[in-house]
Amino acid sequence: VRRVRIDGSATGGVAEELAAVADRHGADLVAVGTRRHDRLDRALLGSVTTELARDGHRPLLVVPPPR
């Protein structure tokens, strides 16, 4: 298990950078945390988690915030 921080200043988007890091390390799974957003936030801001899920590049574990 390796923890990777992405600061968003990479040349591509955060989702693309996460996928690239997973490729470089031969990851079998990508685990990401998510924050609670309403539908408008997701529509306007997009979602790294949604992009990774759509990509289907590898299994994705989405961890919700504690209640």
Side-chain angles (χ1 to χ4, degrees), residues 45-57:
L45 300 174
S47 169
V48 171
T49 303
T50 301
E51 286 184 49
L52 287 168
R54 284 185 186 149
D55 177 41
H57 192 68

Side-chain angles (χ1 to χ4, degrees), residues 18-30:
L18 278 170
V21 169
D23 285 342
R24 283 196 301 273
H25 292 282
D28 296 320
L29 171 81
V30 174

Side-chain angles (χ1 to χ4, degrees), residues 3-27:
R3 184 178 204 171
V4 176
R5 289 184 153 280
I6 304 295
D7 66 7
S9 63
T11 56
V14 175
E16 291 85 3
E17 183 64 19
L18 278 170
V21 169
D23 285 342
R24 283 196 301 273
H25 292 282

